[in-house]
Amino acid sequence: MTAAITRPASRSRDAATPLRVAASAYARDGGRTPHTAFHDWYADAAARTFTRVERVPLDALTGWETEPGTGNLRHHTGGFFTVEGLEVRMPAGPVPAWSQPIINQPEVGVLGILVKEFDGVLHCLMQAKVEPGNANGVQISPTVQATRSNYTGVHGGRPVPYLDWFRDPGSRGPLVDVRQSEQGSAFHHKRNRNMVVEADGEVEVREGFHWLTLGQLHRLLAEDDVVNMDARTVLSCLPFAHADLARELGPPADPFRAALFRSCDPSAEARHPLGAVLSWITEARTRTDVHARRVPLARLPGWQRTPERISHVSGAFFDVIGVRVEAGGREVAQWSQPMIEPHGTGVVAFLTRSFGGVLHVLMNARVEAGYMDVVELAPTVQCTPASYEHLPRSARPRYLDAVEGADPAHVRFHSVLSEEGGRFHHARNRYLIVDTDVDVPPDDPDYRWMTVHQLVELLRHSHYLNIQARSLVACLQSLLMPGEPAPTTERKTRI
Amino acid sequence: MTAAITRPASRSRDAATPLRVAASAYARDGGRTPHTAFHDWYADAAARTFTRVERVPLDALTGWETEPGTGNLRHHTGGFFTVEGLEVRMPAGPVPAWSQPIINQPEVGVLGILVKEFDGVLHCLMQAKVEPGNANGVQISPTVQATRSNYTGVHGGRPVPYLDWFRDPGSRGPLVDVRQSEQGSAFHHKRNRNMVVEADGEVEVREGFHWLTLGQLHRLLAEDDVVNMDARTVLSCLPFAHADLARELGPPADPFRAALFRSCDPSAEARHPLGAVLSWITEARTRTDVHARRVPLARLPGWQRTPERISHVSGAFFDVIGVRVEAGGREVAQWSQPMIEPHGTGVVAFLTRSFGGVLHVLMNARVEAGYMDVVELAPTVQCTPASYEHLPRSARPRYLDAVEGADPAHVRFHSVLSEEGGRFHHARNRYLIVDTDVDVPPDDPDYRWMTVHQLVELLRHSHYLNIQARSLVACLQSLLMPGEPAPTTERKTRI
């Protein structure tokens, strides 16, 4: 009953992946094309494409209707998504009950990056893509960004380029393949399948696509509004934790990077073993008594609908608006859709600290009504500071002051990044990574210090790290290599 | 910003746990008390307790009502559970749509085993517990089996003994703490929190409780209807995969156990790396288009309600029945409740095979309507053979013939075990582990060979292994040590 040993080819590949990822991160000036060439291509792509986004009344959205009785917004095909109401009860929470509009998009789409080695260095095939909600038109996107509607053809569009690589990733399988959640404050159970597939043959580079190393993508993450949310979440799922990073990338000179490298080493001492972290998550998910129920949008207490928008009577949170979009390059597409327009720029931040020379990230067990499973791990800070301006200082989110008041020398990462431009209109957050010396009780019910290798391990599985935390993990990856000089204050103050 | 190294006590404990588990499995004759003493205690417990279970019409269940309009069965307090309808659409499935009754019990209960070392050997505090659905009254249960209703007191009963150990497991945290699903064919999103907590002080042994080594529990698993489902699922989550098992337990003489030991070694060669297994699960969850919607029980197509039962017109599947229960020992409890009564004894089996001397288990990606996330990993075979008796041979479940027709010498495990006696009435399955040489294509969409250490790794997380697979993992653990002589044919044929 014993068969011959058949060593699967993919095993050794899996073991090598983190070092190949690191080598690609090392190539910050690009491998195939120098980074300056990217900028020419990107400027050109931006020039050749355009978006015209015009606000229109919710009743005037071509193809969309307000469902009689419920008031829900839906596409006449039944495809894409619906805007419905959600009634939430959380008896032990700071706000024990509320209602809100929510996007219901139960189908799981694909976010895929095709990678290929050139001269031994992994490159990612990235797309310059227009989304109606982008503040700046074009952003760098994954190779494929397909809803299930996209590939079943309900949108009536053309086939999605490169989608076949992800439909059939070949016998070696994908490098990354995991379903992850999106914003639980706006979506009901929305997930996307995050994939990275390595091409084993020739790949034609179509117009609007470009091969970039991880090092180049990491440089672009430091620029405002360039790398889109879908690209960030896929990049965050790349396995990059490995004991030999220092050998591969050279021993880092500064203590922060040295601690970051050690944090990527699975044998590094963690403040809490992974089992204790998992138990803390289990406890948070069990303790939190949350009941979310989809209800008609028409009768949401506290929300009112005018011809232009559905908004909260307090003016807080977000609005549901309608837009008519004309976008494209050589070919032009036109469509209308509802969008979510948040109020104010958010702050999304990791506080980091070294324990025993190993970098730890302070994670928050956060409840959002739309999560599949009650709680996900969020960044240390995730909020819209403007919401707290008129409230007493005691009402401010924990650690927001530690982020906003941080010595600039301790701010390791800072850029303004957009949320998904297909559903959110001008949703921008300041993403920060801030080194700190704050103290957190080891049994704090809401926060835990975690190493990077623990985050990477959890990212193999669904529903542990929320979308904002995943964006910041991609930003943390970008700190593996020393960066450019810090951006000028002037640029950062235009936020 | 660098704090002193504080090595958490729990880290070294976590690393040692699998070997402590193995040492307890080695103690098959009991550590604290010999195994014969257990049998006296068990017989005594069975004699001192009793259950009287009487069928009553669904309308005559004290405390329960049929909700006007929906026909759903619910408790007048709103607690415990409801019996509702579920409408399932699975367009690409063998049966594209069906309706069925389903138990809705959204609250997450606790299944907890308290463990403690005596003379350096871990013992589990087990309870002889009566459940109304048990075919034989008393079975061996976890220390604590508590619904949320139990500890919020909606049942009006006394406090649950030992529950405080699981409410506050101390600073070292639990050894096991993970929420796992139950039968997706009968429950809508039902989960329980599986916990193992190590007592760090004196533990009073109350009447009806007994300290048992894992080795003793493993022996009892080979007896019919002794170790209950809740005990099996908690035992399955114990980490027992370790490279040094052979050193700890002695090198096994027979090739099956040698392959099992190698399969527990995380460095052993697996047929598919874990990343490929996770990708296969992601693909199955994405590919399967399943829509389950709770609907009124009263208007379920194909189901009819008589005073005594709700049953399918075909006579297949299961019935919903009503029972009045009188049970107890010194104190007597009386209650009424609906129960699920399945038709026929099921078969639940692992096929195993060695590849390169490493034991692999053939896992099935199975869809059940009540799962949280579409698909979970099930045993190779999980079915009720009687349902296929009148169908053509081609309709029989895959690998059922390989199990039923197996050479007895290749049957490594076989006993009849009960499903949860609090919701199921006389639900019994033949649990088997059968060594085989069947071939499965490496890219079969529905089956994968997996090592034991991969199963143990996935059991740290929720919603990967279904309840039947977890029962069989506990049975597989029991094969780490050589067993008693095979039970007589006579005993096994009374099934």
Side-chain angles (χ1 to χ4, degrees), chain A residues 279-289 365 367 374-375 445, chain B residues 193:
Chain A
S279 176
W280 167 63
I281 298 170
T282 298
E283 166 62 26
R285 286 178 166 166
T286 310
R287 181 183 63 232
T288 311
D289 193 21
V367 183
V374 188
V375 161
Chain B
R193 182 175 181 181

Side-chain angles (χ1 to χ4, degrees), chain B residues 53-64:
Chain B
V53 179
E54 185 190 351
R55 300 198 179 213
V56 293
L58 292 166
D59 279 340
L61 290 173
T62 310
W64 292 79

Side-chain angles (χ1 to χ4, degrees), chain A residues 1 3 6 8 11 148 174 177 179 191 193 269 271 279 282-283 285-286 354 373 410 436 461 464, chain B residues 1 6 8 11 148 174 177 179 191 193 269 271 275 279 282-283 285-286 354 356 373 410 436 461 464:
Chain A
M1 292 218 179
T6 50
R11 185 188 166 86
R148 200 178 177 105
D177 190 3
R179 295 182 312 155
R191 271 109 37 101
R193 183 176 180 178
E269 187 74 40
R271 192 104 167 106
S279 176
T282 298
E283 166 62 26
R285 286 178 166 166
T286 310
S354 282
D373 205 1
H410 294 164
T436 185
H461 307 284
Y464 279 121
Chain B
M1 292 219 181
T6 50
R11 183 185 169 86
R148 201 176 175 104
D177 190 4
R179 292 181 317 152
R191 275 125 10 119
R193 182 175 181 181
E269 187 74 40
R271 194 105 166 103
S279 175
T282 298
E283 166 62 25
R285 287 179 166 164
T286 310
S354 282
D373 204 2
H410 293 166
T436 186
H461 306 283
Y464 280 120

Side-chain angles (χ1 to χ4, degrees), chain A residues 114-199:
Chain A
L114 192 65
V115 300
K116 188 171 161 63
E117 276 195 1
F118 296 100
D119 300 325
V121 177
L122 281 178
H123 285 62
C124 304
L125 188 60
M126 305 303 288
Q127 182 182 11
K129 192 170 164 63
V130 160
E131 296 279 12
N134 290 350
N136 58 340
V138 165
Q139 293 191 14
I140 296 300
S141 313
T143 320
V144 160
Q145 213 171 287
T147 63
R148 200 178 177 105
S149 318
N150 274 142
Y151 55 84
T152 58
V154 66
H155 72 319
R158 294 167 301 146
V160 175
Y162 304 107
L163 186 55
D164 284 345
W165 285 104
F166 300 91
R167 279 207 189 101
D168 177 13
S171 60
R172 299 205 302 167
L175 292 171
V176 166
D177 190 3
V178 60
R179 295 182 312 155
Q180 298 288 9
S181 68
E182 302 207 348
Q183 286 82 355
S185 58
F187 295 109
H188 181 68
H189 294 188
K190 188 178 178 207
R191 271 109 37 101
N192 272 313
R193 183 176 180 178
N194 289 242
M195 297 182 84
V196 176
V197 167
E198 185 166 2

